[in-house]
């Protein structure tokens, strides 16, 4: 029996609407179509559920409607470390977002790499996004020495032999030439330590500046360095959907206001 303080289960269409799946009427249609389950059982109109204690899924993916979960998108500046605590006393990413509830970074960006980073207290999503099996693609804009030629680009696209093995194929294109340097966009779905930098080192074009511009479906070109915003319900859903795609397949864009192989 539920305690007197426990919240009463809500009508399922209300839970779905709060999670960003449209009006209650639209959510009723999802339930009627048999696309929603509660603890593995197909739901029906009139079903009630507690998102804190029961697993609700739409098309086999979790419905996130818990009010104790938070999801932040941070534009990490250089010089900030991707950790909750730093023995050297450097500023950490968790100091740039609200302290309550406590969150942790999903994946990592090196101290001299800037760009997008997700922080959350949703352990399931964090595990899915960082597990190599799911291969969520991340894009970077790298300023490199020299202008990579056809041979270097081909190597990056096919895979680079590093000391910890051959990298998976990457999506690469030179977007701008800047005198003796070039801006190169690269998308990878592995999460090896400093992978992007090591890949460019291996083809003779060391990275001078590196910015992560996309995490799966998430982009936000208007988020200033050092600033954060809460993810919208549809963006959280899009991240869950991205973990269900095959490795190396680019996710669609979920534009915003506008762990990682760096």
């Amino acid at each position: 029996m539920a305690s007197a303080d426990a919240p009463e289960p809500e009508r399922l269409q209300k839970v779905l609407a709060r999670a960003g799946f449209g009006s209650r009427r639209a959510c009723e249609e999802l339930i009627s179509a048999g696309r929603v389950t509660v603890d593995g059982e197909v739901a029906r109109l009139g079903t009630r559920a507690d998102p804190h204690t029961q697993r609700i899924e739409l098309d086999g993916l979790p419905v996130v409607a818990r009010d104790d979960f938070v999801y932040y998108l941070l534009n990490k500046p250089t010089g900030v470390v991707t950790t909750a605590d730093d023995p050297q006393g450097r500023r950490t990413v968790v100091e740039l977002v609200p302290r309550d509830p406590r969150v942790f970074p999903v994946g990592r960006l090196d101290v001299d790499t800037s760009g997008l980073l997700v922080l959350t207290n949703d352990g399931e999503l964090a595990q899915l996004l960082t597990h190599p099996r799911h291969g969520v693609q991340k894009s970077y804009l790298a300023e490199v020495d020299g202008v990579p030629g056809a041979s270097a680009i081909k190597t990056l696209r096919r895979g680079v032999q590093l000391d910890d093995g051959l990298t998976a194929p990457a999506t690469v294109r030179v977007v701008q030439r800047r005198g003796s340097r070039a801006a190169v966009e690269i998308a990878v779905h592995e999460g090896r330590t400093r992978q992007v930098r090591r890949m460019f080192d291996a083809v003779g074009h060391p990275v001078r500046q590196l910015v992560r511009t996309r995490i799966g479906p998430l982009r936000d070109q208007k988020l200033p360095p050092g600033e954060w915003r809460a993810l919208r319900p549809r963006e959280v859903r899009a991240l869950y959907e991205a973990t269900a795609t095959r490795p190396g397949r680019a996710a669609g864009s979920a534009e915003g206001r506008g762990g990682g192989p760096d």
Side-chain angles (χ1 to χ4, degrees):
M1 178 181 295
S3 69
D5 296 329
E8 289 292 326
E10 301 176 87
R11 288 190 178 275
L12 192 53
Q13 57 265 42
K14 182 178 178 181
V15 176
L16 293 173
R18 188 170 69 250
F21 293 102
S23 66
R24 292 192 189 181
R25 176 58 183 166
C27 293
E28 288 175 355
E29 293 176 358
L30 295 175
I31 297 169
S32 297
R35 297 171 59 186
V36 184
T37 61
V38 178
D39 290 339
E41 299 291 332
V42 177
R44 299 180 179 180
L45 286 178
T47 295
R48 290 178 175 269
D50 179 358
H52 291 83
T53 60
Q54 294 178 286
R55 186 174 182 84
I56 305 169
E57 295 184 342
L58 171 63
D59 297 334
L61 292 175
V63 170
V64 181
R66 291 177 51 163
D67 55 15
D68 58 338
F69 278 169
V70 295
Y71 307 85
Y72 302 135
L73 183 66
L74 171 71
N75 187 351
K76 187 190 92 66
T78 57
V80 178
V81 293
T82 308
T83 183
D85 182 59
D86 181 56
Q88 301 179 39
R90 294 171 295 181
R91 199 175 190 190
T92 70
V93 292
V94 297
E95 296 175 40
L96 302 180
V97 298
R99 291 183 176 273
D100 187 33
R102 183 178 176 85
V103 296
F104 47 88
V106 179
R108 65 183 299 278
L109 285 176
D110 196 73
V111 65
D112 52 358
T113 299
S114 62
L116 300 183
L117 181 73
V118 171
L119 297 95
T120 184
N121 56 352
D122 182 348
E124 180 179 5
L125 179 60
Q127 183 179 26
L128 289 171
L129 288 174
T130 55
H131 197 290
R133 178 167 62 88
H134 300 292
V136 176
Q137 196 177 71
K138 302 172 184 69
S139 295
Y140 298 80
L141 186 63
E143 182 179 338
V144 303
D145 282 345
V147 179
S151 178
I153 296 296
K154 183 177 180 180
T155 299
L156 292 167
R157 288 174 175 170
R158 288 190 171 183
V160 181
Q161 187 64 50
L162 302 178
D163 55 6
D164 53 356
L166 185 69
T167 65
T171 302
V172 186
R173 69 185 183 98
V174 176
V175 295
Q176 188 177 11
R177 290 168 172 79
R178 302 170 179 171
S180 62
R181 295 183 179 179
V184 184
E185 185 178 69
I186 181 169
V188 298
H189 63 265
E190 296 178 294
R192 306 187 201 183
T193 300
R194 298 179 68 85
Q195 178 180 331
V196 171
R197 294 178 184 275
R198 291 191 292 142
M199 289 173 69
F200 279 106
D201 281 344
V203 297
H205 296 279
V207 172
R208 296 304 174 188
Q209 184 176 352
L210 188 62
V211 181
R212 183 192 281 169
T213 58
R214 178 171 66 87
I215 304 171
L218 295 181
R219 293 183 185 271
D220 195 333
Q221 297 178 347
K222 296 183 180 180
L223 189 64
E227 297 295 317
W228 65 274
R229 67 171 176 83
L231 292 181
R232 303 175 182 88
R234 63 180 176 83
E235 293 176 313
V236 176
R237 173 71 177 181
L239 286 176
Y240 269 104
E241 290 175 343
T243 68
T245 61
R246 68 180 185 273
R249 176 180 171 186
S253 176
E255 294 287 344
R257 292 192 315 176
D262 52 8

